[in-house]
Amino acid sequence: AQSVTQLGSHVSVSEGALVLLRCNYSSSVPPYLFWYVQYPNQGLQLLLKYTSAATLVKGINGFEAEFKKSETSFHLTKPSAHMSDAAEYFCAVSERSQGNMLTFGGGTRLMVKP
Amino acid sequence: NAGVMQNPRHLVRRRGQEARLRCSPMKGHSHVYWYRQLPEEGLKFMVYLQKENIIDESGMPKERFSAEFPKEGPSILRIQQVVRGDSAAYFCASSPRGVTEAFFGQGTRLTVV
């Protein structure tokens, strides 16, 4: 069975500051890992995914995440926050045999202060 | 290529009525996934379908819920005799065969009154 823990249901940063959203997972087999963003009353948009290639994954809108097997982590970062980054962010995991059957974390709401 | 289309976007049902949620996957996508998002929670997997087949329904409640993806037409998530606890956002995602990336629709927000 898989699970995903996102530390911090709410994160607040100032515009221009570093964004760090934490995600830890558990999986009995090598996982696929994803970060999605959800704007109010919208669906989910894929930011980036890890599927066993490079451990540092670059995504859209300047976000990146690093897969650390020893720490079972897949934290999301962005060097400089922008007001438009304010949204809900979800980390998700799937087993390789399950493809797109995702297990999601509880989400982190990112607020960006001017 | 239009994205994943879900309708209706908002649905209000009285307790005991039926809710039918529709999902048209992206063109060329033969895999459909349904997820439920309860208020202030993450998404929970419900069911995975391919054309005319249910592949995995391990996340579906045992009663009142059913899903189908016919050879022609959209995928349908059907909830019979709705209760207040069914109020949630229901998201559909689709993917082509062999691709590890799911594209999500904008969701249907079901409110049971």
Side-chain angles (χ1 to χ4, degrees):
Chain A
Q2 308 152 89
S3 67
V4 178
T5 301
Q6 291 184 239
L7 289 176
S9 58
H10 293 79
V11 170
S12 180
V13 301
S14 297
E15 192 173 19
L18 171 71
V19 175
L20 171 61
L21 305 183
R22 299 178 186 275
C23 172
N24 288 87
Y25 70 92
S26 68
S27 178
S28 56
V29 297
Y32 290 153
L33 293 158
F34 307 82
W35 276 99
Y36 283 87
V37 60
Q38 183 182 33
Y39 296 99
N41 297 316
Q42 298 292 317
L44 278 72
Q45 180 182 10
L46 181 68
L47 279 176
L48 48 81
K49 63 180 180 181
Y50 166 77
T51 57
S52 82
T55 56
L56 181 62
V57 181
K58 293 187 183 299
I60 61 171
N61 302 339
F63 285 93
E64 63 181 38
E66 186 172 8
F67 171 63
K68 291 187 176 181
K69 184 178 179 181
S70 61
E71 298 178 6
T72 61
S73 69
F74 191 57
H75 302 330
L76 181 71
T77 60
K78 181 174 181 177
S80 176
H82 191 272
M83 296 296 290
S84 61
D85 293 327
E88 186 99 22
Y89 292 80
F90 292 97
C91 181
V93 63
S94 72
E95 294 185 8
R96 295 185 178 191
S97 62
Q98 294 181 320
N100 294 307
M101 287 170 54
L102 303 171
T103 299
F104 283 88
T108 297
R109 186 172 301 278
L110 176 66
M111 294 167 284
V112 182
K113 299 175 292 186
Chain B
N1 190 2
V4 178
M5 303 300 292
Q6 289 189 249
N7 64 80
R9 290 290 308 277
H10 300 275
L11 182 62
V12 179
R13 284 287 178 266
R14 296 186 183 279
R15 280 178 294 170
Q17 291 185 320
E18 178 180 289
R20 292 172 71 89
L21 288 62
R22 288 177 290 277
C23 169
S24 296
M26 290 179 69
K27 187 176 181 180
H29 289 196
S30 57
H31 299 218
V32 165
Y33 309 81
W34 285 93
Y35 292 85
R36 176 165 66 174
Q37 184 178 32
L38 294 170
E40 304 300 321
E41 294 188 15
L43 283 76
K44 297 285 193 292
F45 167 78
M46 299 182 75
V47 61
Y48 164 32
L49 309 108
Q50 296 178 19
K51 286 282 188 181
E52 300 184 280
N53 285 305
I54 296 174
I55 305 303
D56 190 306
E57 56 182 348
S58 57
M60 287 277 272
K62 298 299 181 201
E63 298 178 348
R64 301 187 298 107
F65 285 72
S66 62
E68 62 176 8
F69 187 17
K71 186 176 181 181
E72 300 292 337
S75 176
I76 305 289
L77 179 66
R78 182 183 178 203
I79 311 172
Q80 295 178 291
Q81 299 176 324
V82 296
V83 300
R84 289 230 171 103
D86 297 332
S87 295
Y90 292 82
F91 289 95
C92 169
S94 73
S95 70
R97 180 182 178 188
V99 172
T100 308
E101 180 173 345
F103 295 81
F104 281 80
Q106 293 191 308
T108 293
R109 280 152 184 85
L110 172 66
T111 302
V112 179
V113 298

